[in-house]
């Protein structure tokens, strides 16, 4: 399976009318084919099954370089897998290299899902993600939080998971003064997901930083807590 062959399979399912709608919606200047997410997922799953890790990484890299919307989504899906054998640095290094190319939430979020799997597999990679927090690039900063969402979800976190959770909350705190919508949204999203498993840390963060956050981000962070309180 080569990138050229994979692109031919994507193009075979192109829907020009839907492609124009997608271009207008995503507002990023690139080629769109008009495929649905399930169509992309089905193709990516078949390619993944036919390739070893080295082949998946090579195919993902080639698809990403095409700069076609569906190809970049497929590239991310190729590497969105809990276990890679071997899970050496090649897949992670490729995913991390993509952050500089992020220019829309859809592509960034698909790639961040792949990043989540590789970070959970090897949490020492958080050291590299910490560098993203200081980036001037909107999407790289945002990816630092979206890629670390798994640390919001542990019901019975181990000490090292709690330490990572507090570390990432520290990153979020440094991002609070950045009032760009997508940054504030990512802070609210991280805290909202955390609130389902660690209400105390969520409330403590808002108590310390809520006045400096955009109101919509505070509302998002506390949405599930307020809903639970209302139900009680």
């Amino acid at each position: 399976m080569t990138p050229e062959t994979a692109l031919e399979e994507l193009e075979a399912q192109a829907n020009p009318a839907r492609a124009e709608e997608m271009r207008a919606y995503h507002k990023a200047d690139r080629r769109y084919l008009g495929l649905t997410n399930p169509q992309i997922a089905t193709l990516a799953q078949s390619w993944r099954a036919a390739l070893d890790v080295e082949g998946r990484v090579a195919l993902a890299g080639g698809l990403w370089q095409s700069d076609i919307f569906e190809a970049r989504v497929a590239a991310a899906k190729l590497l969105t897998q809990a276990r890679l054998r071997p899970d050496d640095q090649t897949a992670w290094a490729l995913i991390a290299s993509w952050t500089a190319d992020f220019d829309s939430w859809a592509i960034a979020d698909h790639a961040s899902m792949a990043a989540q799997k590789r970070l959970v597999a090897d949490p020492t990679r958080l050291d590299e993600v910490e560098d993203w927090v200081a980036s001037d690039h909107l999407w790289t900063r945002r990816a630092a939080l979206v890629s670390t969402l798994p640390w919001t979800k542990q019901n019975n976190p181990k000490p090292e998971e709690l330490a990572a959770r507090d570390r990432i909350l520290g990153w979020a705190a440094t991002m609070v003064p950045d009032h760009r919508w997508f940054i504030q949204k990512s802070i609210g999203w991280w805290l909202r997901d955390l609130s389902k498993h660690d209400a105390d840390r969520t409330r403590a963060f808002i108590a310390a930083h809520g006045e400096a956050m955009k109101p919509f981000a505070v509302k998002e962070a506390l949405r599930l807590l307020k809903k639970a309180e209302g139900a009680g």
Side-chain angles (χ1 to χ4, degrees):
M1 174 62 64
T2 66
E4 293 75 19
T5 303
L7 285 171
E8 288 174 2
E9 293 189 19
L10 288 165
E11 290 169 343
Q13 300 186 47
N15 182 332
R18 190 171 186 276
E20 286 305 309
E21 294 173 358
M22 291 172 63
R23 175 183 292 278
Y25 176 74
H26 291 292
K27 298 180 176 65
D29 185 19
R30 60 170 44 88
R31 186 182 175 199
Y32 297 82
L33 300 177
L35 274 67
T36 65
N37 194 52
Q39 286 176 305
I40 302 169
T42 297
L43 287 172
Q45 184 176 7
S46 69
W47 302 334
R48 190 167 61 223
L51 296 167
D52 60 15
V53 173
E54 183 180 358
R56 285 175 229 163
V57 171
L59 180 57
L63 288 172
W64 188 270
Q65 288 303 315
S66 74
D67 196 24
I68 297 171
F69 178 84
E70 289 82 356
R72 287 196 162 182
V73 172
K77 288 182 179 295
L78 275 168
L79 301 180
T80 305
Q81 187 175 347
R83 290 186 177 88
L84 290 179
R85 294 188 178 91
D87 187 8
D88 57 21
Q89 281 294 100
T90 56
W92 166 248
L94 180 62
I95 295 166
S97 74
W98 290 343
T99 59
D101 296 329
F102 293 169
D103 57 6
S104 69
W105 66 266
I107 288 176
D109 285 3
H110 280 290
S112 293
M113 285 292 293
Q116 288 178 17
K117 303 297 186 183
R118 305 279 54 79
L119 289 170
V120 171
D122 184 354
T124 66
R125 292 166 177 158
L126 289 172
D127 293 344
E128 185 172 346
V129 178
E130 188 162 20
D131 293 337
W132 301 359
V133 179
S135 174
D136 292 332
H137 182 228
L138 164 68
W139 299 102
T140 299
R141 294 199 88 194
R142 180 177 179 273
L145 295 184
V146 181
S147 297
T148 55
L149 282 168
W151 278 273
T152 68
K153 302 181 189 303
Q154 302 101 336
N155 281 317
N156 298 294
K158 299 174 183 176
E160 61 269 23
E161 291 170 336
L162 278 177
R165 182 177 289 179
D166 286 334
R167 180 184 187 182
I168 299 161
L169 283 169
W171 300 350
T174 68
M175 294 166 71
V176 163
D178 186 339
H179 281 180
R180 289 177 290 183
W181 191 90
F182 277 106
I183 297 296
Q184 293 289 306
K185 180 69 173 178
S186 67
I187 296 171
W189 181 3
W190 213 93
L191 292 167
R192 180 201 68 201
D193 283 8
L194 180 64
S195 73
K196 293 183 284 187
H197 306 276
D198 195 336
D200 289 344
R201 275 181 169 79
T202 303
R203 291 192 180 96
F205 188 98
I206 294 300
H209 306 288
E211 289 187 3
M213 292 169 61
K214 285 289 188 180
F216 81 86
V218 175
K219 183 177 180 180
E220 179 69 11
L222 296 177
R223 178 163 59 89
L224 297 179
L225 288 178
K226 290 185 178 298
K227 184 177 179 180
E229 292 167 355

